[in-house]
Amino acid sequence: MPESTLPDTHLTPGAELLPGYRHAPRVAVLIPCYNEEVAIPHVVAAFRAALPDATIYVYDNNSKDGTAAAARAAGAVVRNESLQGKGHVVRRMFADIEADAYVLVDGDDTYDASAAAEMLRLLFADRLDMVTGVRRTPEAIAAAAYRPGHQLGNAVLTGMVRWVFGDRISDMLSGYRVFSRRFVKSFPALAAGFETETEFTVHALELKLPVGEVPSAYKERPAGSTSKLNTYRDGFRILRTIVTLVQRERPLMFFSVAGGILLFLALMLAVPLLQTFLATGLVPRLPTAVLATGLVLLSFLSFVCGLILDTVTRGRQEAKRVAYLALPAPDFEEHP
């Protein structure tokens, strides 16, 4: 269906998502795609059935197959993003599309479209800003749908984020999310690739935004569709993103740990020298003494940098919070 014949946003029936409410929300389904010609017709059809009046957008990210044509034939609004990477596509979608709620899902036909209605209901009923579809895979197909390496990596990386930023998310790397307009229009979207899911999670946790989770079935890709994920490459990219976000959002913790390591190394070098000095009054290894002194100075410098950057980070958080509050809250009040 040509893009010009479809509205930018559409009303989803309030009777399905918000029974008894005065207004029906505008819902947009966002599907970033790269070489998903096989899977995308099934994804569009499934979300058309689950959310009959939502507008479905497919953003083609330089696909070399017939992804765009297949999505358009299935009834989606098809647009293009030339900068390669899921993060770039998400940034473009969030900037272009106006709606009250946004359903973001991968185009590989691994997520359960029927869970979207419950995720939206929870978003509006509890006035949340992000609802994550937590992946649940039947044991019979778990190995094929969700490789052990991916499961381990997700558990480790999610655990790191929960430890640093707060224990409110159980599946940080899920590609199935529902967002409020407030979240989407105040989200910086700085990531370039698959690490954008990490950025979603940290942004919500750092600003103490209300979030929720809904279990969602997760299955293997359809025959003929291939994964774009690389376990080690993308895992290291996500790990690097987490470290960068810790340094950016928790600078006092980050630089205090770095300063503690430097101080520990300095003490390891200095203790033998101190023992020799107390016994003989001599410092026989002057270069080691200079190195230990330098490490101590660097450790204190690291701690001071953490204190200064912590103040800067607090200012950035306040600015992001103000940007978030500048957007009107959704007006979906129940009938008296």
Side-chain angles (χ1 to χ4, degrees):
M1 187 179 295
E3 180 178 333
S4 59
T5 65
L6 291 170
D8 222 26
T9 55
H10 206 287
L11 294 183
T12 298
E16 294 183 13
L17 298 178
L18 294 173
Y21 280 66
R22 184 176 295 112
H23 303 293
R26 300 172 299 168
V27 176
V29 179
L30 312 180
I31 310 174
C33 276
Y34 175 66
N35 291 344
E36 297 291 1
E37 180 183 10
V38 173
I40 193 60
H42 302 284
V43 178
V44 174
F47 278 92
R48 179 68 69 202
L51 303 172
D53 295 302
T55 305
I56 300 177
Y57 296 88
V58 171
Y59 272 64
D60 181 44
N61 194 205
N62 303 315
S63 295
K64 296 175 176 59
D65 59 7
T67 296
R72 191 174 288 109
V77 177
V78 178
R79 295 175 179 173
N80 300 302
E81 172 52 52
S82 59
L83 291 175
Q84 194 67 42
K86 183 176 180 179
H88 293 303
V89 181
V90 167
R91 184 185 308 113
R92 181 69 178 274
M93 291 189 296
F94 283 8
D96 288 355
I97 297 170
E98 298 295 329
D100 297 310
Y102 300 77
V103 180
L104 177 67
V105 66
D106 293 339
D108 55 8
D109 196 25
T110 56
Y111 292 97
D112 180 18
S114 65
E118 174 60 20
M119 294 167 71
L120 285 164
R121 188 204 64 77
L122 182 64
L123 183 88
F124 288 114
D126 291 354
R127 294 181 172 274
L128 305 180
D129 284 306
M130 182 177 74
V131 177
T132 303
V134 179
R135 291 170 284 186
R136 296 286 185 263
T137 308
E139 190 172 340
I141 64 169
Y146 200 8
R147 286 179 280 176
H150 290 179
Q151 295 181 46
L152 176 62
N154 186 30
V156 171
L157 295 172
T158 299
M160 291 176 61
V161 169
R162 292 170 68 178
W163 177 64
V164 176
F165 294 100
D167 188 8
R168 295 196 292 147
I169 297 291
S170 61
D171 189 1
M172 181 189 73
L173 300 182
S174 173
Y176 196 9
R177 314 266 178 140
V178 171
F179 301 104
S180 69
R181 174 179 171 79
R182 269 186 165 186
F183 184 104
V184 165
K185 296 305 180 181
S186 63
F187 178 65
L190 301 177
F194 286 105
E195 63 272 22
T196 190
E197 282 93 358
T198 305
E199 197 177 26
F200 291 149
T201 302
V202 171
H203 179 74
L205 296 179
E206 189 63 9
L207 292 186
K208 306 293 189 298
L209 303 183
V211 299
E213 296 185 332
V214 170
S216 172
Y218 186 76
K219 62 182 186 295
E220 61 182 316
R221 282 171 166 268
S225 175
T226 57
S227 174
K228 317 305 182 299
L229 290 173
N230 181 290
T231 302
Y232 299 104
R233 182 196 64 204
D234 292 318
F236 280 119
R237 286 180 65 179
I238 293 168
L239 179 61
R240 182 184 64 190
T241 300
I242 293 173
V243 172
T244 301
L245 289 170
V246 172
Q247 182 266 325
R248 185 191 306 159
E249 305 296 340
R250 293 282 195 274
L252 184 57
M253 173 193 291
F254 182 87
F255 286 101
S256 293
V257 170
I261 293 172
L262 291 170
L263 184 60
F264 175 76
L265 293 175
L267 292 175
M268 292 290 291
L269 294 172
V271 167
L273 296 178
L274 182 61
Q275 291 173 339
T276 302
F277 176 76
L278 293 176
T280 65
L282 301 174
V283 182
R285 290 177 290 171
L286 184 60
T288 303
V290 172
L291 175 59
T293 303
L295 290 174
V296 170
L297 293 175
L298 287 175
S299 71
F300 281 102
L301 180 61
S302 179
F303 180 70
V304 170
C305 286
L307 286 174
I308 295 171
L309 291 175
D310 189 62
T311 303
V312 174
T313 297
R314 178 58 64 91
R316 290 176 52 251
Q317 290 173 355
E318 290 173 353
K320 287 191 287 187
R321 184 72 186 180
V322 168
Y324 165 79
L325 294 174
L327 296 164
D331 181 22
F332 299 110
E333 298 296 337
E334 291 183 278
H335 284 298

